[in-house]
Amino acid sequence: MKNKDMTIAEICLNDALGGLELTAANCFEYFKNKTNCYAIVAPDTKLDKLIDNKNKFTVKRNKILPLIPAFKLAKLIDNNNIDILHFHLGKDIIPIVLAKIISKKKPIIIYSRHMNMTRFKNDIYHRWLYKNINMLHAVSRQVKEQLEKYIPSSARPPIELVYLGTKESSIDENKIETLKSKYNLENTFVVGMIGRIEDEKGQHILIEAISKLNNPNVKALIIGSAPREEYMKKLKEMVKSLNIEDKVIFTGFTKEVNEHMKLCDASVLATKKETFGLVVIESMRNKVCTIATNNGGPLEIIDDNINGLLFDRTPQDLASKIEYLYNNPDIKNSLASSGYEKAKREFDYETQMQKLYNAIQSV
């Protein structure tokens, strides 16, 4: 039964579509079945296209004149009797706090922090901002510790640690076979990397690792789109110069993420500073063995050599981990199976969403 006494607005005004934006969409989908809920996104973005619902509004962020989106948000708050503003990105904090002040309703503000925090927020401006926030949601212990370190206690709202979760999705087996044929992956050991194609994500590390293996039966499947064409161009030039054009496949953006993930024998997360690693638990839930960088969020998910592998973010170490899995299929399958059990037990979508909803409800 819905809680009709509480109205939540899920806000994400970003123009990209990655784990953070998908989490905002997932929160909207889950919360709207629990209570009155609206989605507020930037117009003509991938997130705008993804959320198809009559309870969706669009607001464009304005870095120079934040009062413009703030007044629009304040109007939406008052016209729709919104009690809680839940947002996910630091860039949205200014118009949201201003909207709270401008509105008659004066809603509660909850900030889900997905990104690293690396600077102290002890100046007057940031103290004022955080004093207007009612709760911080940290997606990992690392993020919680950063929030406690960098936001002074006099301005810091209560912090709730709730990990993200993932579903066990239905898979189109026929689609998998079609994709396998499309990418020519028969009798191939496939190493996948899923996510935005950008330098920080480290696709270049996987490409260099593939070149070091010099194994004709191992291919890299790089799944996602590039916000900046320069990096994609750099990657393709790198593939060409290493003479491995037959071993690296760029799929581009796809909505069939789980089917693409199921093509893989192993998946790689090579981000330099990952706060959590949603793609890690998604891979684990798809029973794909995961290799991730040995810092940040992955340390809270993967138990090395038990339910996945950790590497030091060098191409040499990544190549050795891929070779190890290639030469030891039973170990690969065991790691994948253990990873699946841990993801199902500790990072279940319904369980984690309910924990977050309960935390929001208690503010």
Side-chain angles (χ1 to χ4, degrees):
M1 184 179 292
K2 282 191 175 184
N3 176 6
K4 294 183 179 179
D5 296 329
M6 181 172 70
T7 301
I8 302 173
E10 275 297 320
I11 305 175
C12 185
L13 307 182
N14 212 23
D15 57 1
L17 186 64
L20 182 151
E21 294 80 19
L22 290 172
T23 299
N26 287 339
C27 285
F28 172 67
E29 286 299 316
Y30 187 83
F31 295 161
K32 72 182 176 63
N33 293 318
K34 295 285 184 178
T35 189
N36 302 314
C37 192
Y38 295 93
I40 303 176
V41 302
D44 302 317
T45 59
K46 289 178 180 177
L47 187 58
D48 183 20
K49 292 170 185 172
L50 179 68
I51 300 175
D52 182 16
N53 191 282
K54 63 183 177 63
N55 283 358
K56 179 186 70 178
F57 301 109
T58 59
V59 174
K60 190 172 184 178
R61 191 190 295 137
N62 190 319
K63 186 177 179 180
I64 299 172
L65 297 170
L67 276 171
I68 294 175
F71 272 107
K72 188 169 182 180
L73 282 170
K75 188 176 180 180
L76 289 173
I77 291 164
D78 292 334
N79 288 350
N80 296 282
N81 201 31
I82 293 170
D83 302 293
I84 296 171
L85 304 178
H86 179 211
F87 75 104
H88 301 258
L89 195 65
K91 291 179 181 178
D92 295 335
I93 190 171
I94 298 170
I96 286 171
V97 168
L98 290 173
K100 173 183 179 175
I101 293 166
I102 295 165
S103 71
K104 295 175 185 176
K105 182 72 178 174
K106 309 299 181 199
I108 287 168
I109 298 179
I110 294 168
Y111 178 15
S112 284
R113 181 77 187 190
H114 300 256
M115 312 293 282
N116 283 298
M117 183 174 282
T118 57
R119 291 183 294 177
F120 286 99
K121 309 294 182 181
N122 52 7
D123 56 278
I124 293 172
Y125 169 68
H126 282 99
R127 283 173 179 270
W128 170 74
L129 282 176
Y130 282 97
K131 280 183 178 180
N132 277 285
I133 293 173
N134 301 86
M135 187 186 90
L136 292 167
H137 161 221
V139 300
S140 66
R141 281 198 308 273
Q142 174 186 257
V143 171
K144 185 175 186 288
E145 290 166 3
Q146 290 172 355
L147 293 171
E148 290 170 339
K149 177 180 179 179
Y150 290 109
I151 303 173
S153 58
S154 59
R156 187 174 62 237
I159 303 171
E160 287 287 336
L161 168 59
V162 180
Y163 288 121
L164 302 179
T166 186
K167 300 176 184 177
E168 187 164 350
S169 302
S170 57
I171 302 293
D172 185 341
E173 296 293 341
N174 291 329
K175 188 65 182 179
I176 293 172
E177 291 304 313
T178 301
L179 291 170
K180 194 178 288 186
S181 176
K182 175 184 176 181
Y183 300 128
N184 192 24
L185 297 176
E186 298 293 341
N187 303 314
T188 301
F189 188 94
V190 182
V191 184
M193 185 177 255
I194 303 102
R196 276 198 302 269
I197 297 177
E198 55 189 11
D199 185 70
E200 187 178 294
K201 298 291 184 183
Q203 283 86 3
H204 58 282
I205 297 171
L206 174 58
I207 290 170
E208 192 171 340
I210 293 294
S211 74
K212 289 182 180 298
L213 284 169
N214 195 29
N215 186 329
N217 295 320
V218 179
K219 290 185 180 181
L221 190 69
I222 298 176
I223 304 156
S225 59
R228 293 178 178 82
E229 192 57 39
E230 300 84 28
Y231 183 60
M232 177 62 90
K233 185 180 177 182
K234 174 186 170 183
L235 292 180
K236 289 182 177 179
E237 288 173 351
M238 183 181 182
V239 169
K240 188 175 181 179
S241 67
L242 292 169
N243 196 27
I244 52 171
E245 291 170 285
D246 59 332
K247 296 179 186 176
V248 179
I249 300 159
F250 295 96
T251 71
F253 175 78
T254 179
K255 290 183 179 180
E256 299 162 333
V257 175
N258 289 300
E259 282 77 11
H260 278 74
M261 201 174 279
K262 280 287 192 179
L263 295 170
C264 303
D265 293 278
S267 74
V268 174
L269 182 137
T271 311
K272 189 174 184 180
K273 294 180 179 179
E274 186 64 61
T275 52
F276 179 66
L278 186 60
V279 73
V280 173
I281 61 171
E282 288 172 341
S283 295
M284 292 165 79
R285 201 68 192 259
N286 274 294
K287 299 181 181 176
V288 176
C289 185
T290 306
I291 308 169
T293 42
N294 60 355
N295 62 66
L299 295 177
E300 299 179 40
I301 302 172
I302 293 176
D303 305 293
D304 195 24
N305 282 299
I306 296 173
N307 44 48
L309 297 176
L310 298 170
F311 81 109
D312 65 7
R313 208 173 181 260
T314 63
Q316 294 84 355
D317 194 29
L318 179 56
S320 71
K321 296 295 191 292
I322 295 169
E323 188 173 35
Y324 174 68
L325 295 177
Y326 177 82
N327 290 328
N328 297 278
D330 290 342
I331 292 174
K332 172 184 76 77
N333 293 336
S334 175
L335 291 170
S337 179
S338 297
Y340 168 76
E341 292 300 329
K342 181 168 185 180
K344 186 171 69 169
R345 184 177 65 250
E346 297 186 24
F347 304 106
D348 175 68
Y349 174 85
E350 291 287 334
T351 304
Q352 297 311 110
M353 275 294 182
Q354 187 62 46
K355 285 181 182 178
L356 180 57
Y357 179 75
N358 291 345
I360 290 172
Q361 206 175 20
S362 68
V363 177

